[in-house]
């Protein structure tokens, strides 16, 4: 394993020619978050390394996970008849989640602002994002937890794979098109969940026991949103972007002669 070449010389040579290319069409990002991030990034001194901003945001996600693991180690804290997570914890988690999301949004801007964008920085950023997929979903799970009013652990396992699938799909898309089409679901989910954490602190977890519509519970809405976003938004958009590129991109996969 020590002698195995994970990156070929040809791939290493491509690092010198690499340029970051991303497309963000989400209205929430374009008209709300990007103007906000453009203001926030000006607060940071130019000597602050973008990778440090990236790592700081990741640490906030990990801290949220550890904090919730302390107060809800078995995922039963939100179930009826169990000791619930203190309200202040939900507020802290909500604020820190939004802060982590903000840092994830400004690290690239800081890199371009200081002319320090590198392929390694992008790899570091997205590598930590891949880990955050797990911490983020498991932390959100504590809102509903297990028990009669919650979500089963098996469903949690499936949701983890759905989120990871969406993450991998977007990078498969970039690998083949050369452009990172930022998924709409990421921004929407981060803002929504940060808000839901705060709402939980105000109304209590008991509010999520009630049906959302008819016999459709909030836990079902939570599950449907994650799966629906992946299958009805992320997957179709990725395939559309893939097949909309120049023919050589698809030919190397399906070996169709032009």
């Amino acid at each position: 394993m020590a002698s195995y070449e994970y990156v070929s010389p040809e791939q290493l040579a491509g690092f010198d020619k690499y340029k970051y290319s991303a497309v963000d069409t989400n209205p929430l990002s374009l008209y709300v978050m990007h103007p906000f991030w453009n203001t926030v990034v000006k607060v940071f001194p130019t000597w602050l390394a973008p990778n440090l901003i990236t790592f700081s945001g990741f640490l906030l996600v990990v801290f949220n996970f550890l904090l919730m693991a302390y107060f809800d180690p078995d995922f039963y804290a939100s179930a009826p008849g169990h000791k619930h997570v203190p309200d202040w914890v939900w507020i802290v988690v909500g604020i820190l989640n939004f802060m982590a999301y903000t840092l994830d949004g400004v690290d690239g801007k800081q890199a371009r602002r200081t002319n320090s964008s590198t392929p390694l920085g992008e790899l570091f950023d997205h590598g930590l994002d891949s880990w955050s997929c797990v911490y983020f979903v498991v932390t959100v799970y504590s809102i509903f937890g297990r028990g009669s009013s919650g979500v089963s652990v098996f469903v949690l396992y499936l949701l983890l794979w759905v989120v990871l699938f969406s993450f991998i799909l977007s990078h498969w898309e970039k690998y083949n098109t050369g452009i990172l089409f930022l998924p709409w679901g990421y921004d929407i989910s981060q803002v929504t969940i940060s808000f839901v954490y705060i709402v939980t602190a105000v109304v209590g977890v008991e509010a999520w026991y009630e049906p959302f519509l008819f016999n459709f519970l909030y836990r079902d809405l939570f599950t449907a949103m994650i799966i629906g976003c992946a299958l009805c938004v992320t997957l179709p958009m990725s395939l559309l972007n893939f097949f909309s590129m120049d023919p050589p991109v698809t030919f190397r996969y399906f070996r169709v002669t032009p």
Side-chain angles (χ1 to χ4, degrees):
M1 292 295 291
S3 61
Y4 181 79
E5 292 186 356
Y6 291 92
V7 182
S8 67
E10 293 79 8
Q11 292 172 325
L12 284 173
F15 274 63
D16 296 331
K17 302 177 182 178
Y18 177 82
K19 290 186 65 176
Y20 178 72
S21 178
V23 174
D24 193 351
T25 59
N26 186 353
L28 175 62
S29 299
L30 293 177
Y31 302 113
V32 180
M33 299 314 304
H34 278 296
F36 173 67
W37 294 334
N38 288 334
T39 301
V40 172
V41 74
K42 296 176 182 177
V43 177
F44 297 132
T46 54
W47 52 260
L48 184 62
N51 285 349
L52 181 58
I53 298 176
T54 302
F55 191 60
S56 298
F58 175 71
L59 289 180
L60 292 180
V61 174
V62 175
F63 178 81
N64 273 353
F65 169 78
L66 295 176
L67 182 64
M68 199 58 68
Y70 176 80
F71 287 98
D72 187 18
D74 55 4
F75 299 109
Y76 275 112
S78 294
H82 289 73
K83 183 179 179 180
H84 298 327
V85 174
D87 294 339
W88 68 265
V89 173
W90 295 116
I91 295 176
V92 169
V93 171
I95 293 174
L96 293 185
N97 187 81
F98 188 79
M99 288 178 59
Y101 168 54
T102 299
L103 293 178
D104 189 44
V106 302
D107 55 0
K109 295 182 181 297
Q110 176 75 351
R112 290 183 287 275
R113 177 184 177 222
T114 57
N115 196 28
S116 56
S117 298
T118 65
L120 181 60
E122 182 182 352
L123 178 63
F124 183 67
D125 183 5
H126 295 170
L128 293 182
D129 286 344
S130 66
W131 282 96
S132 296
C133 288
V134 177
Y135 294 127
F136 171 70
V137 175
V138 174
T139 304
V140 173
Y141 181 59
S142 287
I143 295 176
F144 304 95
R146 302 163 68 180
S148 58
S149 62
V151 180
S152 70
V153 176
F154 177 70
V155 172
L156 170 63
Y157 176 75
L158 293 180
L159 293 179
L160 283 170
W161 274 110
V162 169
V163 173
L164 288 171
F165 166 76
S166 299
F167 179 85
I168 294 171
L169 184 64
S170 66
H171 286 79
W172 168 85
E173 180 184 10
K174 186 193 175 181
Y175 176 78
N176 289 285
T177 64
I179 301 173
L180 179 63
F181 294 90
L182 300 174
W184 284 28
Y186 172 69
D187 297 281
I188 296 173
S189 64
Q190 291 297 315
V191 173
T192 300
I193 292 302
S194 297
F195 177 73
V196 169
Y197 282 137
I198 304 299
V199 171
T200 302
V202 175
V203 301
V205 294
E206 294 84 1
W208 309 123
Y209 299 164
E210 302 298 324
F212 168 71
L213 182 65
F214 301 113
N215 291 325
F216 194 69
L217 301 177
Y218 281 100
R219 67 181 182 190
D220 302 321
L221 177 64
F222 164 70
T223 304
M225 285 180 62
I226 294 180
I227 297 177
C229 184
L231 299 182
C232 300
V233 179
T234 303
L235 178 59
M237 289 301 296
S238 293
L239 293 177
L240 176 63
N241 293 329
F242 175 76
F243 287 105
S244 297
M245 296 302 292
D246 293 334
V249 174
T250 54
F251 289 158
R252 75 182 183 194
Y253 265 81
F254 301 103
R255 303 186 183 279
V256 178
T257 304

